Amino acid sequence: DLFRPIIQPGCNVSHFILRIFNRWGQMVWMSYSPYEGWDGTFQGVPQEIGDYMYMIELTAGTKGKQTFRKGDVTLVR
């Protein structure tokens, strides 16, 4: 499974950054594509089960609305 946003078909995304951080604040994953997702690894090594913080920045839609979201995702295996 992958953690990534669900982008509605036809939605124009002109700017996108998704970052994932571990509990120590170390960035373990980053992508500039809304179609890529985090698979729970860091440099090819499966990460510990637990909570990770995510931050998403994007500009999307016909009006180019800028959006910033952050939250937690729980990694389970």
Side-chain angles (χ1 to χ4, degrees):
D1 292 347
L2 299 175
F3 175 74
R4 65 185 176 111
I6 297 173
I7 306 294
Q8 293 183 348
C11 181
N12 181 28
V13 178
S14 59
H15 169 76
F16 179 89
I17 302 174
L18 171 59
R19 296 178 183 100
I20 308 286
F21 300 88
N22 65 18
R23 63 182 169 187
W24 297 284
Q26 178 185 21
M27 186 170 56
V28 296
W29 192 78
M30 183 175 72
S31 176
Y32 294 103
S33 171
Y35 306 105
E36 292 180 15
W38 182 51
D39 64 358
T41 64
F42 175 55
Q43 296 179 344
V45 178
Q47 296 300 287
E48 295 179 19
I49 293 171
D51 294 330
Y52 292 79
M53 182 182 150
Y54 68 86
M55 294 175 30
I56 299 175
E57 300 173 32
L58 65 94
T59 303
T62 57
K63 296 182 181 179
K65 181 180 176 186
Q66 294 181 339
T67 304
F68 175 80
R69 296 282 187 265
K70 64 181 180 177
D72 298 319
V73 59
T74 302
L75 178 63
V76 294
R77 299 200 188 279

